[in-house]
Amino acid sequence: MVVASAPGKVYLFGEHAVVYGEPAVPCAIERRATVTVERRADGKLKVHASDLTLDGFTVEYDDDADARPDVDVADSLIDAAVGYVNGAIEQARDAAGAPEVGFDITVESDIPLGAGLGSSAAVVVAGIAAGTRELGVDLPTEEIADRAYRVEYDVQDGQASRADTFCSAVGGAVRVEGDDCRSIEGVGNLPFVIGYDGGAGDTGQLVAGVRSLRDRYEFAADTVETIGDIVRRGEGVLAEGDLEELGGLMDFNHGLLSALGVSSRSLDAMVWAAREADAYGAKLTGAGGGGCIVALDESRSARTALEYTPDCEAAFRAELDAEGVRIEST
Ligand code: MEV
């Protein structure tokens, strides 16, 4: 039996635009998905999953069966969750040259599902690491990231960047532009505060929405490019550690994501609550539509303001996690 874990992430800048080749800067946070994998003799997969949004479900299936857990969550989220776990196992089998092998899999996560904190990437990355190690193969981190990206790409119908999976695999702050993925060294701790509205967005649909706006209007395509400009500027500011300007750029980035139609009333309410509590800046993180915002604030004010915001179900501080995927036990 092997247990592996991988971190979730927030986007300091650049979600959505990264899908079209602009750079993005996601940062791993100290909230992890943990996947336990044990080989089964009968070739079947049995998956038990639990996290903040899914109370816990168990699915038993072989590869052809239509696995549908009986839980009160949108079908698209369940399909995606099952797709990510299946994909991770497929990759582990492929990497080990053992296509028929069965597993008992348990997924535990303190990252809410579909909420912009990279839960799916963390599950896939940890799943591939645990599955391959259980089969006696030790994959380099870059290969885990690459295989995890292929899973996201398939589940999201070809509309995925390498950002979430690379960040979860290597940890820390990273820069992703197309296939060029690298760690950003020397980033001090960033005072992230997260607000969570208890909801989730459908990444595939949200990405498709931005794509159709971008195809329809030149100014929407310009908006995507402008997000890239914010990221290019933000990288320099990050290196200088100027939180005031970083926050201002996050505000700008949020405005452009809003213009692209991926914010929501509750995300905007949380962003404004954090700003009015004198956070340096705040923006939605991830695909949007619902889920989480990230604010920069050294004091307790933004977190307290979020706790008193009716649209906010949970508010918490998140530390940058320098460590990516790791084997917890074998
Ligand atoms: C989702 O976490 C981030 C998006 O940019 C999609 C992607 O990069 O794959 C919206």
Side-chain angles (χ1 to χ4, degrees), residues 255-290:
L256 297 180
L257 288 166
S258 258
L260 291 171
V262 298
S263 192
S264 69
R265 190 182 282 261
S266 53
L267 293 174
D268 285 343
M270 292 191 289
V271 160
W272 277 106
R275 287 177 187 164
E276 283 172 2
D278 287 335
Y280 291 114
K283 62 183 278 295
L284 68 82
T285 171

PDB file of all heavy atoms in Angstrom, residues 255-290:
ATOM      1  N   GLY A 255     -10.943  42.139 -12.452  1.00  0.00           N
ATOM      2  CA  GLY A 255     -11.847  42.920 -13.306  1.00  0.00           C
ATOM      3  C   GLY A 255     -11.924  42.338 -14.707  1.00  0.00           C
ATOM      4  O   GLY A 255     -12.999  42.241 -15.306  1.00  0.00           O
ATOM      5  N   LEU A 256     -10.788  41.926 -15.232  1.00  0.00           N
ATOM      6  CA  LEU A 256     -10.780  41.381 -16.602  1.00  0.00           C
ATOM      7  C   LEU A 256     -11.442  39.997 -16.648  1.00  0.00           C
ATOM      8  O   LEU A 256     -12.142  39.667 -17.619  1.00  0.00           O
ATOM      9  CB  LEU A 256      -9.343  41.316 -17.135  1.00  0.00           C
ATOM     10  CG  LEU A 256      -8.651  42.690 -17.268  1.00  0.00           C
ATOM     11  CD1 LEU A 256      -7.239  42.514 -17.803  1.00  0.00           C
ATOM     12  CD2 LEU A 256      -9.431  43.627 -18.168  1.00  0.00           C
ATOM     13  N   LEU A 257     -11.247  39.200 -15.590  1.00  0.00           N
ATOM     14  CA  LEU A 257     -11.933  37.894 -15.544  1.00  0.00           C
ATOM     15  C   LEU A 257     -13.446  38.098 -15.475  1.00  0.00           C
ATOM     16  O   LEU A 257     -14.223  37.379 -16.104  1.00  0.00           O
ATOM     17  CB  LEU A 257     -11.439  37.072 -14.338  1.00  0.00           C
ATOM     18  CG  LEU A 257     -10.012  36.525 -14.471  1.00  0.00           C
ATOM     19  CD1 LEU A 257      -9.488  36.028 -13.125  1.00  0.00           C
ATOM     20  CD2 LEU A 257      -9.953  35.395 -15.506  1.00  0.00           C
ATOM     21  N   SER A 258     -13.851  39.115 -14.717  1.00  0.00           N
ATOM     22  CA  SER A 258     -15.274  39.466 -14.647  1.00  0.00           C
ATOM     23  C   SER A 258     -15.793  39.821 -16.030  1.00  0.00           C
ATOM     24  O   SER A 258     -16.875  39.383 -16.443  1.00  0.00           O
ATOM     25  CB  SER A 258     -15.457  40.703 -13.774  1.00  0.00           C
ATOM     26  OG  SER A 258     -15.906  40.376 -12.541  1.00  0.00           O
ATOM     27  N   ALA A 259     -15.021  40.637 -16.752  1.00  0.00           N
ATOM     28  CA  ALA A 259     -15.436  41.044 -18.097  1.00  0.00           C
ATOM     29  C   ALA A 259     -15.581  39.828 -19.000  1.00  0.00           C
ATOM     30  O   ALA A 259     -16.422  39.809 -19.902  1.00  0.00           O
ATOM     31  CB  ALA A 259     -14.411  42.024 -18.681  1.00  0.00           C
ATOM     32  N   LEU A 260     -14.780  38.798 -18.748  1.00  0.00           N
ATOM     33  CA  LEU A 260     -14.858  37.579 -19.571  1.00  0.00           C
ATOM     34  C   LEU A 260     -15.974  36.643 -19.096  1.00  0.00           C
ATOM     35  O   LEU A 260     -16.128  35.538 -19.623  1.00  0.00           O
ATOM     36  CB  LEU A 260     -13.508  36.841 -19.555  1.00  0.00           C
ATOM     37  CG  LEU A 260     -12.362  37.566 -20.280  1.00  0.00           C
ATOM     38  CD1 LEU A 260     -11.028  36.870 -20.022  1.00  0.00           C
ATOM     39  CD2 LEU A 260     -12.626  37.659 -21.796  1.00  0.00           C
ATOM     40  N   GLY A 261     -16.721  37.072 -18.087  1.00  0.00           N
ATOM     41  CA  GLY A 261     -17.928  36.352 -17.688  1.00  0.00           C
ATOM     42  C   GLY A 261     -17.713  35.190 -16.749  1.00  0.00           C
ATOM     43  O   GLY A 261     -18.596  34.342 -16.614  1.00  0.00           O
ATOM     44  N   VAL A 262     -16.559  35.126 -16.066  1.00  0.00           N
ATOM     45  CA  VAL A 262     -16.318  33.948 -15.224  1.00  0.00           C
ATOM     46  C   VAL A 262     -16.412  34.247 -13.729  1.00  0.00           C
ATOM     47  O   VAL A 262     -16.146  33.370 -12.907  1.00  0.00           O
ATOM     48  CB  VAL A 262     -14.969  33.256 -15.560  1.00  0.00           C
ATOM     49  CG1 VAL A 262     -14.976  32.756 -16.993  1.00  0.00           C
ATOM     50  CG2 VAL A 262     -13.773  34.168 -15.318  1.00  0.00           C
ATOM     51  N   SER A 263     -16.791  35.486 -13.373  1.00  0.00           N
ATOM     52  CA  SER A 263     -17.015  35.741 -11.949  1.00  0.00           C
ATOM     53  C   SER A 263     -18.466  35.420 -11.619  1.00  0.00           C
ATOM     54  O   SER A 263     -19.207  34.904 -12.466  1.00  0.00           O
ATOM     55  CB  SER A 263     -16.656  37.184 -11.594  1.00  0.00           C
ATOM     56  OG  SER A 263     -16.626  37.311 -10.179  1.00  0.00           O
ATOM     57  N   SER A 264     -18.877  35.686 -10.402  1.00  0.00           N
ATOM     58  CA  SER A 264     -20.266  35.450 -10.002  1.00  0.00           C
ATOM     59  C   SER A 264     -20.574  36.453  -8.902  1.00  0.00           C
ATOM     60  O   SER A 264     -19.669  37.091  -8.354  1.00  0.00           O
ATOM     61  CB  SER A 264     -20.436  34.028  -9.459  1.00  0.00           C
ATOM     62  OG  SER A 264     -19.766  33.914  -8.219  1.00  0.00           O
ATOM     63  N   ARG A 265     -21.837  36.544  -8.557  1.00  0.00           N
ATOM     64  CA  ARG A 265     -22.232  37.492  -7.512  1.00  0.00           C
ATOM     65  C   ARG A 265     -21.501  37.191  -6.191  1.00  0.00           C
ATOM     66  O   ARG A 265     -20.995  38.081  -5.534  1.00  0.00           O
ATOM     67  CB  ARG A 265     -23.739  37.386  -7.311  1.00  0.00           C
ATOM     68  CG  ARG A 265     -24.334  38.453  -6.457  1.00  0.00           C
ATOM     69  CD  ARG A 265     -25.818  38.173  -6.331  1.00  0.00           C
ATOM     70  NE  ARG A 265     -26.523  38.595  -7.526  1.00  0.00           N
ATOM     71  CZ  ARG A 265     -27.178  39.747  -7.638  1.00  0.00           C
ATOM     72  NH1 ARG A 265     -27.182  40.583  -6.632  1.00  0.00           N
ATOM     73  NH2 ARG A 265     -27.805  40.062  -8.733  1.00  0.00           N
ATOM     74  N   SER A 266     -21.438  35.902  -5.833  1.00  0.00           N
ATOM     75  CA  SER A 266     -20.812  35.572  -4.540  1.00  0.00           C
ATOM     76  C   SER A 266     -19.295  35.802  -4.589  1.00  0.00           C
ATOM     77  O   SER A 266     -18.699  36.268  -3.607  1.00  0.00           O
ATOM     78  CB  SER A 266     -21.124  34.134  -4.136  1.00  0.00           C
ATOM     79  OG  SER A 266     -20.772  33.254  -5.169  1.00  0.00           O
ATOM     80  N   LEU A 267     -18.673  35.507  -5.727  1.00  0.00           N
ATOM     81  CA  LEU A 267     -17.225  35.760  -5.831  1.00  0.00           C
ATOM     82  C   LEU A 267     -16.970  37.264  -5.744  1.00  0.00           C
ATOM     83  O   LEU A 267     -16.065  37.715  -5.013  1.00  0.00           O
ATOM     84  CB  LEU A 267     -16.656  35.193  -7.137  1.00  0.00           C
ATOM     85  CG  LEU A 267     -16.658  33.662  -7.260  1.00  0.00           C
ATOM     86  CD1 LEU A 267     -16.209  33.227  -8.660  1.00  0.00           C
ATOM     87  CD2 LEU A 267     -15.765  33.004  -6.211  1.00  0.00           C
ATOM     88  N   ASP A 268     -17.790  38.061  -6.449  1.00  0.00           N
ATOM     89  CA  ASP A 268     -17.620  39.524  -6.384  1.00  0.00           C
ATOM     90  C   ASP A 268     -17.844  40.026  -4.959  1.00  0.00           C
ATOM     91  O   ASP A 268     -17.118  40.901  -4.479  1.00  0.00           O
ATOM     92  CB  ASP A 268     -18.583  40.227  -7.350  1.00  0.00           C
ATOM     93  CG  ASP A 268     -18.134  40.088  -8.804  1.00  0.00           C
ATOM     94  OD1 ASP A 268     -16.962  39.744  -9.039  1.00  0.00           O
ATOM     95  OD2 ASP A 268     -18.961  40.316  -9.704  1.00  0.00           O
ATOM     96  N   ALA A 269     -18.863  39.472  -4.285  1.00  0.00           N
ATOM     97  CA  ALA A 269     -19.150  39.926  -2.910  1.00  0.00           C
ATOM     98  C   ALA A 269     -17.942  39.664  -2.010  1.00  0.00           C
ATOM     99  O   ALA A 269     -17.558  40.510  -1.186  1.00  0.00           O
ATOM    100  CB  ALA A 269     -20.385  39.208  -2.373  1.00  0.00           C
ATOM    101  N   MET A 270     -17.317  38.497  -2.169  1.00  0.00           N
ATOM    102  CA  MET A 270     -16.158  38.165  -1.316  1.00  0.00           C
ATOM    103  C   MET A 270     -14.958  39.046  -1.680  1.00  0.00           C
ATOM    104  O   MET A 270     -14.212  39.486  -0.800  1.00  0.00           O
ATOM    105  CB  MET A 270     -15.821  36.674  -1.440  1.00  0.00           C
ATOM    106  CG  MET A 270     -16.893  35.770  -0.850  1.00  0.00           C
ATOM    107  SD  MET A 270     -16.368  34.033  -0.714  1.00  0.00           S
ATOM    108  CE  MET A 270     -16.328  33.521  -2.412  1.00  0.00           C
ATOM    109  N   VAL A 271     -14.766  39.276  -2.998  1.00  0.00           N
ATOM    110  CA  VAL A 271     -13.661  40.145  -3.433  1.00  0.00           C
ATOM    111  C   VAL A 271     -13.817  41.531  -2.808  1.00  0.00           C
ATOM    112  O   VAL A 271     -12.871  42.092  -2.239  1.00  0.00           O
ATOM    113  CB  VAL A 271     -13.626  40.222  -4.983  1.00  0.00           C
ATOM    114  CG1 VAL A 271     -12.863  41.436  -5.465  1.00  0.00           C
ATOM    115  CG2 VAL A 271     -12.998  38.954  -5.557  1.00  0.00           C
ATOM    116  N   TRP A 272     -15.063  42.060  -2.848  1.00  0.00           N
ATOM    117  CA  TRP A 272     -15.273  43.406  -2.297  1.00  0.00           C
ATOM    118  C   TRP A 272     -15.145  43.430  -0.778  1.00  0.00           C
ATOM    119  O   TRP A 272     -14.653  44.401  -0.200  1.00  0.00           O
ATOM    120  CB  TRP A 272     -16.621  43.971  -2.778  1.00  0.00           C
ATOM    121  CG  TRP A 272     -16.431  44.566  -4.134  1.00  0.00           C
ATOM    122  CD1 TRP A 272     -16.838  44.051  -5.327  1.00  0.00           C
ATOM    123  CD2 TRP A 272     -15.712  45.771  -4.438  1.00  0.00           C
ATOM    124  NE1 TRP A 272     -16.424  44.855  -6.359  1.00  0.00           N
ATOM    125  CE2 TRP A 272     -15.746  45.917  -5.845  1.00  0.00           C
ATOM    126  CE3 TRP A 272     -15.051  46.724  -3.672  1.00  0.00           C
ATOM    127  CZ2 TRP A 272     -15.121  46.995  -6.490  1.00  0.00           C
ATOM    128  CZ3 TRP A 272     -14.448  47.797  -4.309  1.00  0.00           C
ATOM    129  CH2 TRP A 272     -14.484  47.929  -5.700  1.00  0.00           C
ATOM    130  N   ALA A 273     -15.586  42.360  -0.113  1.00  0.00           N
ATOM    131  CA  ALA A 273     -15.453  42.301   1.347  1.00  0.00           C
ATOM    132  C   ALA A 273     -13.973  42.380   1.721  1.00  0.00           C
ATOM    133  O   ALA A 273     -13.579  43.118   2.638  1.00  0.00           O
ATOM    134  CB  ALA A 273     -16.076  41.015   1.879  1.00  0.00           C
ATOM    135  N   ALA A 274     -13.142  41.642   0.999  1.00  0.00           N
ATOM    136  CA  ALA A 274     -11.698  41.644   1.308  1.00  0.00           C
ATOM    137  C   ALA A 274     -11.086  43.011   1.009  1.00  0.00           C
ATOM    138  O   ALA A 274     -10.304  43.548   1.802  1.00  0.00           O
ATOM    139  CB  ALA A 274     -10.999  40.551   0.505  1.00  0.00           C
ATOM    140  N   ARG A 275     -11.462  43.604  -0.129  1.00  0.00           N
ATOM    141  CA  ARG A 275     -10.903  44.924  -0.486  1.00  0.00           C
ATOM    142  C   ARG A 275     -11.314  45.971   0.535  1.00  0.00           C
ATOM    143  O   ARG A 275     -10.505  46.804   0.956  1.00  0.00           O
ATOM    144  CB  ARG A 275     -11.400  45.349  -1.853  1.00  0.00           C
ATOM    145  CG  ARG A 275     -10.767  44.579  -2.982  1.00  0.00           C
ATOM    146  CD  ARG A 275     -11.378  45.033  -4.286  1.00  0.00           C
ATOM    147  NE  ARG A 275     -10.919  44.216  -5.398  1.00  0.00           N
ATOM    148  CZ  ARG A 275     -11.509  44.193  -6.589  1.00  0.00           C
ATOM    149  NH1 ARG A 275     -12.577  44.931  -6.824  1.00  0.00           N
ATOM    150  NH2 ARG A 275     -11.027  43.439  -7.551  1.00  0.00           N
ATOM    151  N   GLU A 276     -12.592  45.931   0.947  1.00  0.00           N
ATOM    152  CA  GLU A 276     -13.069  46.954   1.901  1.00  0.00           C
ATOM    153  C   GLU A 276     -12.443  46.768   3.271  1.00  0.00           C
ATOM    154  O   GLU A 276     -12.452  47.692   4.080  1.00  0.00           O
ATOM    155  CB  GLU A 276     -14.598  46.933   1.962  1.00  0.00           C
ATOM    156  CG  GLU A 276     -15.172  47.618   0.728  1.00  0.00           C
ATOM    157  CD  GLU A 276     -16.691  47.492   0.566  1.00  0.00           C
ATOM    158  OE1 GLU A 276     -17.338  46.889   1.449  1.00  0.00           O
ATOM    159  OE2 GLU A 276     -17.188  47.972  -0.449  1.00  0.00           O
ATOM    160  N   ALA A 277     -11.904  45.581   3.515  1.00  0.00           N
ATOM    161  CA  ALA A 277     -11.195  45.351   4.783  1.00  0.00           C
ATOM    162  C   ALA A 277      -9.705  45.657   4.616  1.00  0.00           C
ATOM    163  O   ALA A 277      -8.865  45.216   5.394  1.00  0.00           O
ATOM    164  CB  ALA A 277     -11.396  43.914   5.231  1.00  0.00           C
ATOM    165  N   ASP A 278      -9.377  46.391   3.538  1.00  0.00           N
ATOM    166  CA  ASP A 278      -8.001  46.854   3.305  1.00  0.00           C
ATOM    167  C   ASP A 278      -7.003  45.776   2.930  1.00  0.00           C
ATOM    168  O   ASP A 278      -5.800  45.910   3.195  1.00  0.00           O
ATOM    169  CB  ASP A 278      -7.459  47.632   4.517  1.00  0.00           C
ATOM    170  CG  ASP A 278      -8.110  49.003   4.613  1.00  0.00           C
ATOM    171  OD1 ASP A 278      -8.562  49.506   3.561  1.00  0.00           O
ATOM    172  OD2 ASP A 278      -8.183  49.531   5.735  1.00  0.00           O
ATOM    173  N   ALA A 279      -7.514  44.691   2.316  1.00  0.00           N
ATOM    174  CA  ALA A 279      -6.563  43.730   1.716  1.00  0.00           C
ATOM    175  C   ALA A 279      -5.792  44.475   0.620  1.00  0.00           C
ATOM    176  O   ALA A 279      -6.293  45.438   0.044  1.00  0.00           O
ATOM    177  CB  ALA A 279      -7.334  42.560   1.117  1.00  0.00           C
ATOM    178  N   TYR A 280      -4.574  44.015   0.333  1.00  0.00           N
ATOM    179  CA  TYR A 280      -3.808  44.645  -0.763  1.00  0.00           C
ATOM    180  C   TYR A 280      -4.551  44.492  -2.089  1.00  0.00           C
ATOM    181  O   TYR A 280      -4.462  45.338  -2.969  1.00  0.00           O
ATOM    182  CB  TYR A 280      -2.433  43.989  -0.884  1.00  0.00           C
ATOM    183  CG  TYR A 280      -1.508  44.283   0.264  1.00  0.00           C
ATOM    184  CD1 TYR A 280      -1.101  43.260   1.126  1.00  0.00           C
ATOM    185  CD2 TYR A 280      -1.026  45.572   0.485  1.00  0.00           C
ATOM    186  CE1 TYR A 280      -0.234  43.520   2.171  1.00  0.00           C
ATOM    187  CE2 TYR A 280      -0.159  45.837   1.539  1.00  0.00           C
ATOM    188  CZ  TYR A 280       0.229  44.813   2.385  1.00  0.00           C
ATOM    189  OH  TYR A 280       1.065  45.074   3.420  1.00  0.00           O
ATOM    190  N   GLY A 281      -5.252  43.361  -2.238  1.00  0.00           N
ATOM    191  CA  GLY A 281      -5.997  43.119  -3.463  1.00  0.00           C
ATOM    192  C   GLY A 281      -6.708  41.778  -3.336  1.00  0.00           C
ATOM    193  O   GLY A 281      -6.447  41.004  -2.410  1.00  0.00           O
ATOM    194  N   ALA A 282      -7.627  41.512  -4.260  1.00  0.00           N
ATOM    195  CA  ALA A 282      -8.363  40.238  -4.222  1.00  0.00           C
ATOM    196  C   ALA A 282      -8.869  39.907  -5.614  1.00  0.00           C
ATOM    197  O   ALA A 282      -9.176  40.789  -6.403  1.00  0.00           O
ATOM    198  CB  ALA A 282      -9.542  40.333  -3.250  1.00  0.00           C
ATOM    199  N   LYS A 283      -8.966  38.623  -5.873  1.00  0.00           N
ATOM    200  CA  LYS A 283      -9.463  38.157  -7.167  1.00  0.00           C
ATOM    201  C   LYS A 283     -10.041  36.751  -7.016  1.00  0.00           C
ATOM    202  O   LYS A 283      -9.729  36.063  -6.023  1.00  0.00           O
ATOM    203  CB  LYS A 283      -8.339  38.151  -8.216  1.00  0.00           C
ATOM    204  CG  LYS A 283      -7.182  37.200  -7.879  1.00  0.00           C
ATOM    205  CD  LYS A 283      -6.077  37.283  -8.916  1.00  0.00           C
ATOM    206  CE  LYS A 283      -6.370  36.439 -10.137  1.00  0.00           C
ATOM    207  NZ  LYS A 283      -6.418  34.988  -9.853  1.00  0.00           N
ATOM    208  N   LEU A 284     -10.842  36.351  -7.986  1.00  0.00           N
ATOM    209  CA  LEU A 284     -11.257  34.952  -7.998  1.00  0.00           C
ATOM    210  C   LEU A 284     -10.034  34.107  -8.332  1.00  0.00           C
ATOM    211  O   LEU A 284      -9.044  34.614  -8.883  1.00  0.00           O
ATOM    212  CB  LEU A 284     -12.392  34.732  -9.004  1.00  0.00           C
ATOM    213  CG  LEU A 284     -12.132  34.860 -10.506  1.00  0.00           C
ATOM    214  CD1 LEU A 284     -11.543  33.605 -11.113  1.00  0.00           C
ATOM    215  CD2 LEU A 284     -13.421  35.186 -11.229  1.00  0.00           C
ATOM    216  N   THR A 285     -10.076  32.836  -7.997  1.00  0.00           N
ATOM    217  CA  THR A 285      -8.962  31.945  -8.363  1.00  0.00           C
ATOM    218  C   THR A 285      -9.499  30.714  -9.087  1.00  0.00           C
ATOM    219  O   THR A 285     -10.531  30.160  -8.690  1.00  0.00           O
ATOM    220  CB  THR A 285      -8.119  31.513  -7.144  1.00  0.00           C
ATOM    221  OG1 THR A 285      -7.191  30.501  -7.558  1.00  0.00           O
ATOM    222  CG2 THR A 285      -8.962  30.947  -6.004  1.00  0.00           C
ATOM    223  N   GLY A 286      -8.829  30.341 -10.176  1.00  0.00           N
ATOM    224  CA  GLY A 286      -9.236  29.146 -10.916  1.00  0.00           C
ATOM    225  C   GLY A 286     -10.268  29.486 -11.978  1.00  0.00           C
ATOM    226  O   GLY A 286     -10.317  30.608 -12.478  1.00  0.00           O
ATOM    227  N   ALA A 287     -11.099  28.500 -12.295  1.00  0.00           N
ATOM    228  CA  ALA A 287     -12.018  28.678 -13.424  1.00  0.00           C
ATOM    229  C   ALA A 287     -13.120  29.683 -13.132  1.00  0.00           C
ATOM    230  O   ALA A 287     -13.665  30.293 -14.045  1.00  0.00           O
ATOM    231  CB  ALA A 287     -12.623  27.332 -13.802  1.00  0.00           C
ATOM    232  N   GLY A 288     -13.497  29.881 -11.863  1.00  0.00           N
ATOM    233  CA  GLY A 288     -14.536  30.849 -11.511  1.00  0.00           C
ATOM    234  C   GLY A 288     -15.926  30.233 -11.527  1.00  0.00           C
ATOM    235  O   GLY A 288     -16.080  29.024 -11.362  1.00  0.00           O
ATOM    236  N   GLY A 289     -16.941  31.078 -11.698  1.00  0.00           N
ATOM    237  CA  GLY A 289     -18.319  30.613 -11.687  1.00  0.00           C
ATOM    238  C   GLY A 289     -18.864  30.410 -10.281  1.00  0.00           C
ATOM    239  O   GLY A 289     -20.072  30.336 -10.064  1.00  0.00           O
ATOM    240  N   GLY A 290     -18.021  30.280  -9.306  1.00  0.00           N
ATOM    241  CA  GLY A 290     -18.337  29.990  -7.908  1.00  0.00           C
ATOM    242  C   GLY A 290     -17.098  29.345  -7.346  1.00  0.00           C
ATOM    243  O   GLY A 290     -16.202  28.990  -8.099  1.00  0.00           O
TER     244      GLY A 290
END
